[in-house]
Structure formats: C-alpha cells, structure tokens
Amino acid sequence: MKVSEKWLREWIDTPLTLDVIADKLTMSGCEVEARDPVATAFSGIVVGHVIEREKHPDADKLSVCKVDNGQGEVLQIVCGASNVRAGLKVPLALVGAVLPLPDGKDLKIKKGKLRGVESFGMLCSSTELGMSDKSDGLLELPDDAPVGMDIRDYLQLNDEVIELAITANRGDCMSMIGVAREVGLLLDAPMTPPVIEAALVKHADTFPVVIEAIDACPRYVGRVIRGVNPQAATPLWMQEKLRRAGVRSISALVDVTNYVLLELGQPMHAFDLATLQDGICVRYARDGETLTLLDGQTATLRSDTLVIADANQPVAMAGIMGGEPTSVTDTTRDLFLESAHFRPAKIMGKARSYALQTDSSARFERGVDPAMPVQAMERATQLIIAICGGEVGALVETCADASVLERNSINLRPERIRRVLGVTMPDTTVEGVLARLHCDLVKTATGWQVQAPLARFDLTIEEDLIEELARVGGYDAIPAQLRPRAPCITQPSESSVRQSSLRQTLVERGYQEAVTFSFVDPKMEETLAPRQTALALANPISADLAVMRSTLWSGLLRAVAYNLNRQQNRVRLFEMGPAFYQDDAGKTQQKTHLAGVITGNLYPEQWAQLNRPVDFYDLKGDVEALLEQATGTQFHVAPVAHPALHPGQSAQLMTDQAVVGWLGMVHPRIEEQLGLSQPVYVFELDAAALQQRQLPKYQPVSKFPAIRRDLALLVNRDVLSIVLENAVKKAATPQLMSYHLFDVYVGKGIADDQKSVALSLIFQDLSRTLEDMEINRMVDAVVASLRDEAGAVLR
C-alpha cells in the first residue's frame, strides 16, 4: 500500500514529521518498506503557456514555439514532442534550471541552438520531472494552471510516498481511511475524513438486483446514473493522488472508482447500463461459462467462482475483475454503479486460480468493512456528478444477510491483560485506546464488554484486543524481563534416556546433526518406503514437497548428495525428528525417529593412521553405541532385506517384541538416482525404543570358583546367533552365570552348508563349589536344547 504524505495529512492534522509517523507505523506492525519522493529534486521549472507553434525549418520532427514564462517574457523554445501545440500549458525549464538525471548527474539548462534555431529553455515531460518512468509527450497541465508559478508548488511535488507492507490480517489498512485511522490511533490525533453527503436523487430509475449466493454476498448496493459525460477530463488532483498510489489514470469514470477504492478501501465497478440485460444476479458460475475480462483475457469459469451476471451471461468475476463487454467506454451515457460486500472465504485464492491478481481481490480476500458499500456509493456518486455530470437515481440496497452488520462482542478482563502482557494497564489507558479504536465498550464487573468496529476483521477474541493495547502503547514500553514465576524443579526419571544423550553419543562419534523438511518428494518417498501409504498434503508448497515423510532417510540422503556435489567426500549426519504414517486402522500416526548416514573415509584426512572407506560394521558399531544406553533391553540384528538397502548389506534391528529399526548400505539403484558417487550407509531407529532402560540391581558376588565349559557345535549356515542364545536361555539354570559366542568357523573340514560355532558357558554357585557331575548335567541340558531349537550337534 503506497501512501502519499500530503494525502495522509489531509486526514490527520499532526505537527509530527514523516520520520516519526513512519517509525510509529513500523513499530506497530505496519512496516514502512520504502520512502520515495514523488518527483526528482529539480529546480527552475515553472508553468509555461505555448502561444505559438511553428514547424522547424530544417527538421521534420522539431517545432519552434513561443512560450510565455509568466514573468513578462515570451521565450523561443525548440521542442521535439509530438503533442506540443498552441494554447497548451506545460512545465517550462528556464535557462539555469537543474534536472537530475538517472545516472546521478545533473542536467543544467543552457541557451543553445538546435539545427540553427536558438532555444531559451526546455518544455518537459513527466519523465524529465522524475514523476514517471516513461511518457508519450509533454506533461499537459489544466487550462487554469497559473502561468509562471513554480511547478513544484503547483503540483505539490514536495511530497513523499511511503510504502507499507500490509500483513494478511490487516486488510483495513489497504486504504487511506484505514491508514489514517491507524495513524490517528497511534498518535492520538483526530481524524478529518472528507464530507460525504447523500446525492440529490433526480429520477426514480432503478435496476433490479437478486442475490442467489447469499453465503458469499450478503450485501449489494447499486445505483443508476444517467447522462454522464465519459470524455470528461480527470482533475489533476485526482490524477496525482492515483499516480502517487501507483495507479494509472485511465478515464474519469474508471478513475473515480479507483479513487474510492484507495480512499475508502471499497472496491467498486461501473457498468455501461445499455449493455446489461434485465437485471443483476449475484450467483455462482455454471461450469463452462466464459467471460472476457477487462484485461482482454477470456476466462472459462468454474462452478465455485462467484459472478455478477445479467439475464444472459456473467458480466463480472465478483470481487476480482469486471467484464469487457459491459465496461464503460467513450460512448457510455448511462451507468449502473455497484458496491458490494463479499465474504473473504469465498474470494480467497480465486484470483490466483485464474492467474490474476487485482487490487479488488487483494482487499476482498483480507476483508472489507461490510458497512462501507453505501458510504462508498455516495462518495463515488459525489465525484462522478462533480466531474462527469449526470442525473442520480435512487440508491437500491439488497441485504440478504443482516448478520453481516453485527459487531463482534468480546469480554476483556484486566487480569488477562496482566497475564498476557506481564504489565498492569490503568483502566483509563485501556478505555482510551479502545475508544480510539472506535470500539463500543460497557464496563462490567469483570472488566469490559467490547464491540469491535466492523472494519477490523482481526478483532475476534480477547487476545486480539490485548495485542492492540500493546501495539498502541508500544512494544518497547513492555519491560524486557521475565515475569515472576514460582521455581519448579523436575527430577528426570533414571529409567529414561534423554534425547540429548542420544544426540551427544552420535556427536562424540563424529556425526553432525541435520534438520530436514517433513515434506518430501512423493517419488523419493515411494522409493525409500514403498510399503507405506504416503500421507498427501492438501495444499503442498510445491510438487516435490507434496507428502509427509515416513522415513528420515529422504532428507538425509539429499543432504549427502548436496555435500558430495561440493567436494565434501566424508559425511556423517544424523537427525532426530518426526515420521508420519498410517496404522492398520487408517489413522495418522507420528513417531520420533533417530536416523543417521555415513559415507567416505573412516577417519578425517591425516598422516598418522592408515585410512579406509567406512563399511557396514562401522555403521553397526555406531548403532550399538546407541543401544548400550538402553540397558536391560535385548536387541538383535537379523539379515532381512529392505527395498531401499543393498540386498547383501541390509539388516533389521529387533527386540523380542517388535522391529525397532533398519541399517545397511543404500541400494545401488537409489545411489544412481540421487547421483551419489560413493557407497552410503544409513540407519533409522524408533527413538522410543532407545529411551527406556532398566536400572541396575545389586547381585552378590560368589566367593566360590567359576567353572568354564566350551562347546564346539555344527549348525546350518543360516542359523542366527540369537537362535543359539535363546536355546541356551531356555535350558539355563541359576548356576549358569553367563554365556557368549566367541568363534565362528567355515572352511576346511566343515560342510558347505554348515558352520562351526563355539560357545562359552560360565557356571558358579553362591553357596558352594559345583561338582563335575552337576556341571555335566547342566551342559547336557544346554546341548539338548541347542539340538532341539537350532539343530546343533557337537563336533
């Protein structure tokens, strides 16, 4: 939103400088993004009057003009503009005038000759005055412009334009009345709006209006104006206000609607009454209907698009843009002027879906004051009659839903203000701010019952009003200290492992933590987790961020590829974050996963130690370091294939109850797809399984000797160590203190489908020395269990 300082001061009378006003706006949330002068810092330019114009004797495109400078002199000036003519009033740069150039240098006007003819000055366009980027000729001034007057004073060019970044919740500030209301609120200065009087009705002609889409258009105001002059010139003051707001002047009738849009924030549209058939109907479009818009594009309408239609066809896309066939032209004599209120939810996003973005849609999407249509209609009528003439018809209002004019009622409590802001505000301060907000308030036993103004769509709950109190009072007035609170000491559970401990374990092993998007590419998700049903986003940021991740590998592998492409060949990353999936019942679930990735050499580049590329067992060692923290839980690794991992280097991490993770080498197909130039190893674990541990318990130490027996067994090659351990556990007695597998042998003397494994059994009793006969019975029981459970035989 661009705001002219001079226009703003017409609404707000304050002695404060623009610097102070801009700072107040920025600190209150309406950030001032830029400040620009409305013209360059030229000097020596006055209003000139072209008395005579003759063709240059030696140049077809040049003219020799006699120009009155208003100081009793008639100057001869050679001019190349195509629109120069006798009787024209234009900016005249006198000899000695200075015009800044785009390259930062100054052009000083001197007496000179053009093709042999002397010239004593220069006639100027708006571009040469720095008022526009391009122009078609000289800047034509009104016939009543006072000759000889300084052009800066005449056009009021000692002015600045501030550009405000209006947030989505402050649509009320996308107009002069809104910005003036905001400045008046912040400065506690009175606002002086223009006087708008009801037009004097000259005829009883009306145009029927029916609202079918009551849910989208609760209020519609229309008026017929007959006998206008469409070729009337837009007054210079209006052209300048439009220009400084970034709006191009088109014609008087269009300029009036644009001016009211900027002044009051109410979009309007003027139809050529002669092109409308039988009446106006506000309805949803029918699939396949088309509309040629004002910009010349033809839009094929959808059934969810709100339109303004006559008896035959749509004539405007409601709240967005009017149609070309019914627009006002130089031959228009009778107008139908509309001013409506559309609900933001029904306009939101519609313009962008048709590749459009208009001033009207930008305002209706954020919300427009539902009480404004009548006031805007009277203002537009006032200006049209003053500029283009005409006879005014009766104002016709169709209100399909009167509730739109009901104001929000909010209960505001002093204790809630203290709770949210951490400061105590006097009642007089609160009531003063609310009064300047144009709120109606009633004192209650608990505080105030506040009715917010209709223009403030963002004031709906108690915290919204508290935010206003903080904004107006100044955020910097709130003490920068923590609110007092009772100390609370929490004692962490000794049976839980903190996430920070898991992170620290990986950091100590050379990993760096990464944070990646939870939104991922559907193709990558399908590649890495084909067994999971991807959770699609309803409104994705982009096509390659369209689903929720079920595995953290998608982000980590892309991070590895990014680093490898930048000559970072040794990468060790981990991430702890949410993964999303659907359970068997179809409900969306979220779990915290811990995932890691390694690639490159085992050690950083050095001279003191031989280096080698990382392998599966390096990754397994890192995972086991994490598992060591979850004491009391028995984990085991099984060689199970995973679609994203190399078939020969893929393993599943399990407990007796569930699968808790995967580890292995990335499948070569995925490495090629991501452009990975070297082997990459990954793991992913359910963080909850790593965060539970059993507290150690004291066990007495036996003073009697321990006895070790080793067993050499033949088993099939596909038998896992966990099977042997479970068989030993099944036959174990209290005297079997520990056991472990300490050797595996395949080769000479062993069948090709078998392997030799060696187990160590440690026996000990707390009360006596064990005898050989007892130990033999316990060993025989273990051997029998191994034979039955794992098919093992003694060598």
Side-chain angles (χ1 to χ4, degrees), residues 416-464:
R416 186 61 180 167
I417 298 174
R418 289 192 297 272
R419 174 71 176 168
V420 174
L421 298 183
V423 296
T424 300
M425 284 193 175
D427 289 358
T428 53
T429 300
V430 174
E431 292 170 358
V433 171
L434 295 177
R436 283 149 55 193
L437 270 170
H438 303 283
C439 294
D440 292 337
L441 62 156
V442 176
K443 189 76 173 176
T444 64
T446 60
W448 300 271
Q449 196 67 31
V450 182
Q451 285 192 323
L454 289 172
R456 293 297 299 271
F457 278 74
D458 58 318
L459 302 182
T460 58
I461 60 176
E462 188 175 18
E463 281 71 15
D464 294 332

Coordinates of all heavy atoms in Angstrom, one line a residue, residues 416-464:
R416 N -6.5 -10.7 32.6 CA -6.0 -11.3 31.4 C -4.9 -10.5 30.8 O -4.0 -11.0 30.2 CB -7.1 -11.6 30.5 CG -6.7 -12.5 29.3 CD -6.2 -13.8 29.7 NE -5.8 -14.6 28.5 CZ -5.1 -15.7 28.6 NH1 -4.6 -16.1 29.8 NH2 -4.7 -16.4 27.5
I417 N -5.1 -9.1 30.8 CA -4.1 -8.2 30.2 C -2.8 -8.4 31.0 O -1.7 -8.5 30.4 CB -4.6 -6.8 30.3 CG1 -5.9 -6.6 29.5 CG2 -3.5 -5.8 29.9 CD1 -6.5 -5.2 29.7
R418 N -2.9 -8.4 32.3 CA -1.7 -8.6 33.1 C -1.0 -10.0 32.8 O 0.2 -10.1 32.7 CB -2.0 -8.5 34.6 CG -2.3 -7.1 35.1 CD -2.3 -7.1 36.6 NE -3.3 -7.9 37.2 CZ -4.6 -7.5 37.4 NH1 -5.0 -6.3 37.1 NH2 -5.5 -8.3 37.9
R419 N -1.9 -11.0 32.6 CA -1.3 -12.3 32.4 C -0.6 -12.4 31.0 O 0.5 -13.0 30.9 CB -2.5 -13.3 32.4 CG -2.1 -14.8 32.1 CD -1.3 -15.4 33.1 NE -1.1 -16.8 32.8 CZ -0.2 -17.6 33.4 NH1 0.5 -17.1 34.4 NH2 0.0 -18.8 33.1
V420 N -1.2 -11.8 30.0 CA -0.6 -12.0 28.7 C 0.6 -11.0 28.5 O 1.6 -11.4 27.9 CB -1.7 -11.7 27.6 CG1 -1.1 -11.7 26.2 CG2 -2.8 -12.8 27.7
L421 N 0.4 -9.8 28.9 CA 1.5 -8.8 28.6 C 2.5 -8.7 29.8 O 3.6 -8.2 29.5 CB 0.9 -7.4 28.4 CG -0.1 -7.2 27.2 CD1 -0.6 -5.8 27.1 CD2 0.6 -7.7 25.9
G422 N 2.2 -9.2 30.9 CA 3.1 -9.1 32.0 C 3.2 -7.7 32.7 O 4.1 -7.4 33.5
V423 N 2.3 -6.8 32.3 CA 2.3 -5.4 32.9 C 0.8 -5.1 33.2 O -0.1 -5.7 32.7 CB 2.8 -4.4 31.9 CG1 4.2 -4.6 31.6 CG2 2.0 -4.4 30.6
T424 N 0.7 -4.1 34.1 CA -0.7 -3.7 34.5 C -1.0 -2.4 33.8 O -0.1 -1.4 33.9 CB -0.7 -3.5 36.1 OG1 -0.4 -4.7 36.7 CG2 -2.1 -3.0 36.5
M425 N -2.1 -2.3 33.2 CA -2.5 -1.1 32.5 C -3.7 -0.4 33.2 O -4.7 -1.1 33.6 CB -3.0 -1.4 31.1 CG -1.8 -1.7 30.1 SD -2.4 -1.6 28.4 CE -0.9 -1.8 27.5
P426 N -3.6 0.9 33.5 CA -4.7 1.6 34.1 C -6.0 1.5 33.3 O -5.9 1.4 32.1 CB -4.2 3.0 34.2 CG -2.7 2.9 34.1 CD -2.4 1.8 33.2
D427 N -7.1 1.5 34.0 CA -8.4 1.4 33.3 C -8.6 2.5 32.3 O -9.1 2.4 31.2 CB -9.5 1.4 34.3 CG -9.6 0.1 35.0 OD1 -8.8 -0.8 34.8 OD2 -10.5 -0.1 35.9
T428 N -8.1 3.7 32.7 CA -8.2 4.9 31.8 C -7.5 4.7 30.5 O -7.9 5.1 29.4 CB -7.8 6.2 32.5 OG1 -6.4 6.0 33.0 CG2 -8.7 6.5 33.7
T429 N -6.3 4.1 30.6 CA -5.5 3.8 29.4 C -6.2 2.8 28.5 O -6.3 3.0 27.3 CB -4.1 3.3 29.8 OG1 -3.4 4.2 30.6 CG2 -3.3 3.0 28.5
V430 N -6.7 1.8 29.1 CA -7.4 0.7 28.3 C -8.6 1.3 27.6 O -8.8 1.2 26.4 CB -7.8 -0.4 29.2 CG1 -8.7 -1.4 28.4 CG2 -6.6 -1.1 29.7
E431 N -9.4 2.1 28.3 CA -10.6 2.7 27.7 C -10.3 3.7 26.7 O -11.0 3.9 25.7 CB -11.4 3.3 28.9 CG -12.0 2.3 29.8 CD -12.7 2.9 31.0 OE1 -12.6 4.1 31.2 OE2 -13.2 2.1 31.9
G432 N -9.2 4.5 26.9 CA -8.7 5.5 25.9 C -8.3 4.8 24.6 O -8.7 5.3 23.5
V433 N -7.6 3.7 24.6 CA -7.2 3.0 23.4 C -8.4 2.4 22.7 O -8.5 2.5 21.5 CB -6.1 1.9 23.8 CG1 -5.9 1.0 22.5 CG2 -4.8 2.5 24.3
L434 N -9.3 1.8 23.5 CA -10.4 1.2 22.8 C -11.3 2.3 22.2 O -11.9 2.0 21.1 CB -11.2 0.4 23.9 CG -10.5 -0.8 24.5 CD1 -11.4 -1.5 25.5 CD2 -10.2 -1.8 23.4
A435 N -11.4 3.4 22.8 CA -12.2 4.5 22.2 C -11.6 5.0 20.9 O -12.3 5.2 19.9 CB -12.3 5.7 23.2
R436 N -10.3 5.1 20.9 CA -9.6 5.5 19.6 C -9.7 4.4 18.6 O -9.5 4.7 17.4 CB -8.1 5.8 19.9 CG -7.9 7.2 20.6 CD -6.8 7.2 21.5 NE -5.5 6.8 21.0 CZ -4.4 6.6 21.7 NH1 -4.5 6.7 23.0 NH2 -3.3 6.3 21.1
L437 N -9.9 3.1 19.0 CA -10.1 2.1 18.0 C -11.5 2.1 17.5 O -11.9 1.2 16.7 CB -9.9 0.7 18.7 CG -8.5 0.1 18.7 CD1 -8.4 -1.1 19.6 CD2 -8.1 -0.3 17.3
H438 N -12.3 3.0 17.9 CA -13.8 3.1 17.6 C -14.6 1.9 18.0 O -15.5 1.4 17.3 CB -13.9 3.3 16.0 CG -13.2 4.5 15.5 ND1 -13.6 5.8 15.6 CD2 -12.0 4.6 14.9 CE1 -12.7 6.6 15.1 NE2 -11.7 5.9 14.6
C439 N -14.2 1.4 19.2 CA -14.9 0.3 19.8 C -16.0 0.9 20.7 O -15.8 1.9 21.3 CB -14.0 -0.6 20.7 SG -12.7 -1.5 19.7
D440 N -17.1 0.2 20.8 CA -18.1 0.5 21.8 C -17.9 -0.4 23.1 O -17.7 -1.6 22.9 CB -19.5 0.2 21.3 CG -19.9 1.2 20.2 OD1 -19.3 2.3 20.2 OD2 -20.7 0.9 19.4
L441 N -17.8 0.2 24.3 CA -17.5 -0.6 25.4 C -18.4 -0.3 26.6 O -18.8 0.8 26.7 CB -16.0 -0.5 25.8 CG -15.5 0.9 26.3 CD1 -14.3 0.7 27.2 CD2 -15.0 1.7 25.0
V442 N -18.7 -1.3 27.3 CA -19.5 -1.2 28.5 C -18.8 -1.8 29.7 O -18.2 -2.9 29.6 CB -20.9 -2.0 28.4 CG1 -21.7 -1.9 29.6 CG2 -21.6 -1.4 27.2
K443 N -18.7 -1.1 30.8 CA -18.0 -1.5 32.0 C -18.8 -2.6 32.6 O -20.0 -2.5 32.8 CB -17.8 -0.4 33.0 CG -16.9 -0.7 34.1 CD -15.4 -0.7 33.8 CE -14.5 -0.8 35.0 NZ -13.1 -0.9 34.7
T444 N -18.1 -3.7 33.0 CA -18.7 -4.9 33.6 C -18.0 -5.2 34.9 O -17.0 -4.6 35.3 CB -18.7 -6.1 32.7 OG1 -17.4 -6.5 32.6 CG2 -19.4 -5.8 31.4
A445 N -18.5 -6.1 35.7 CA -17.9 -6.5 37.0 C -16.5 -7.1 36.8 O -15.7 -7.0 37.6 CB -18.8 -7.5 37.7
T446 N -16.3 -7.8 35.7 CA -15.0 -8.4 35.4 C -14.1 -7.6 34.5 O -13.0 -8.0 34.3 CB -15.3 -9.8 34.8 OG1 -16.0 -9.6 33.5 CG2 -16.1 -10.7 35.7
G447 N -14.6 -6.5 33.9 CA -13.8 -5.8 33.0 C -14.6 -4.9 32.1 O -15.3 -4.0 32.5
W448 N -14.6 -5.3 30.8 CA -15.3 -4.5 29.8 C -15.9 -5.5 28.8 O -15.3 -6.5 28.4 CB -14.4 -3.5 29.0 CG -13.8 -2.5 29.9 CD1 -14.2 -1.3 30.2 CD2 -12.5 -2.7 30.5 NE1 -13.3 -0.7 31.0 CE2 -12.2 -1.5 31.2 CE3 -11.5 -3.6 30.5 CZ2 -11.0 -1.2 31.9 CZ3 -10.3 -3.5 31.2 CH2 -10.1 -2.3 31.9
Q449 N -17.1 -5.2 28.3 CA -17.7 -5.8 27.2 C -17.5 -4.9 26.0 O -18.0 -3.8 25.9 CB -19.2 -6.1 27.4 CG -19.8 -7.1 26.5 CD -19.3 -8.5 26.7 OE1 -18.9 -8.9 27.8 NE2 -19.2 -9.3 25.7
V450 N -16.7 -5.4 25.0 CA -16.3 -4.6 23.9 C -16.9 -5.0 22.6 O -16.9 -6.2 22.3 CB -14.7 -4.6 23.8 CG1 -14.2 -3.7 22.7 CG2 -14.1 -4.2 25.1
Q451 N -17.4 -4.1 21.8 CA -17.9 -4.3 20.5 C -16.9 -3.7 19.5 O -16.7 -2.5 19.5 CB -19.3 -3.7 20.3 CG -20.4 -4.5 20.9 CD -21.7 -4.1 20.4 OE1 -22.0 -2.9 20.2 NE2 -22.6 -5.0 20.3
A452 N -16.2 -4.6 18.7 CA -15.2 -4.2 17.8 C -15.8 -3.6 16.6 O -16.9 -3.9 16.2 CB -14.3 -5.4 17.4
P453 N -15.1 -2.6 15.9 CA -15.6 -2.0 14.7 C -15.7 -3.0 13.6 O -14.8 -4.0 13.5 CB -14.6 -0.9 14.4 CG -13.3 -1.3 15.1 CD -13.8 -2.0 16.3
L454 N -16.6 -2.8 12.7 CA -16.8 -3.8 11.6 C -15.6 -3.8 10.7 O -15.3 -4.9 10.0 CB -18.0 -3.4 10.8 CG -19.4 -3.6 11.5 CD1 -20.5 -3.0 10.6 CD2 -19.6 -5.1 11.7
A455 N -14.8 -2.7 10.6 CA -13.7 -2.7 9.7 C -12.5 -3.6 10.2 O -11.7 -4.0 9.4 CB -13.2 -1.3 9.5
R456 N -12.5 -3.9 11.4 CA -11.4 -4.7 12.0 C -11.8 -6.2 12.1 O -12.3 -6.7 13.1 CB -11.0 -4.2 13.4 CG -10.4 -2.8 13.3 CD -9.1 -2.8 12.6 NE -8.1 -3.7 13.1 CZ -7.2 -3.3 14.1 NH1 -7.2 -2.0 14.5 NH2 -6.4 -4.2 14.6
F457 N -11.6 -6.9 11.0 CA -11.9 -8.3 10.9 C -11.0 -9.1 11.8 O -11.4 -10.2 12.2 CB -11.7 -8.8 9.5 CG -12.9 -8.6 8.6 CD1 -13.2 -7.3 8.1 CD2 -13.7 -9.6 8.2 CE1 -14.2 -7.1 7.2 CE2 -14.8 -9.4 7.3 CZ -15.0 -8.2 6.9
D458 N -9.9 -8.6 12.2 CA -8.9 -9.3 13.0 C -9.2 -9.3 14.5 O -8.5 -9.9 15.3 CB -7.5 -8.8 12.8 CG -7.4 -7.3 13.1 OD1 -8.3 -6.5 12.7 OD2 -6.4 -6.9 13.7
L459 N -10.2 -8.5 14.9 CA -10.5 -8.4 16.4 C -11.7 -9.3 16.7 O -12.9 -9.0 16.5 CB -10.9 -7.0 16.7 CG -9.8 -5.9 16.5 CD1 -10.2 -4.5 17.0 CD2 -8.5 -6.3 17.1
T460 N -11.4 -10.6 17.1 CA -12.4 -11.5 17.3 C -12.4 -12.1 18.7 O -13.4 -12.6 19.2 CB -12.3 -12.7 16.3 OG1 -11.0 -13.3 16.4 CG2 -12.5 -12.2 14.9
I461 N -11.2 -12.1 19.4 CA -11.1 -12.7 20.7 C -10.4 -11.7 21.6 O -9.8 -10.7 21.2 CB -10.3 -14.1 20.7 CG1 -8.9 -13.8 20.1 CG2 -11.0 -15.1 19.8 CD1 -8.0 -15.1 20.1
E462 N -10.3 -12.1 22.9 CA -9.8 -11.2 23.9 C -8.3 -10.9 23.6 O -7.9 -9.7 23.8 CB -9.9 -11.9 25.3 CG -9.5 -11.0 26.5 CD -9.8 -11.7 27.8 OE1 -10.0 -12.9 27.8 OE2 -9.9 -11.0 28.8
E463 N -7.5 -11.9 23.2 CA -6.1 -11.6 22.9 C -5.9 -10.6 21.8 O -4.9 -9.9 21.8 CB -5.4 -13.0 22.6 CG -5.1 -13.8 23.8 CD -6.3 -14.4 24.5 OE1 -7.4 -14.4 23.8 OE2 -6.2 -14.9 25.6
D464 N -6.8 -10.5 20.9 CA -6.7 -9.5 19.8 C -6.7 -8.1 20.4 O -6.0 -7.2 19.9 CB -7.8 -9.7 18.8 CG -7.7 -11.0 18.0 OD1 -6.6 -11.5 17.9 OD2 -8.7 -11.6 17.6

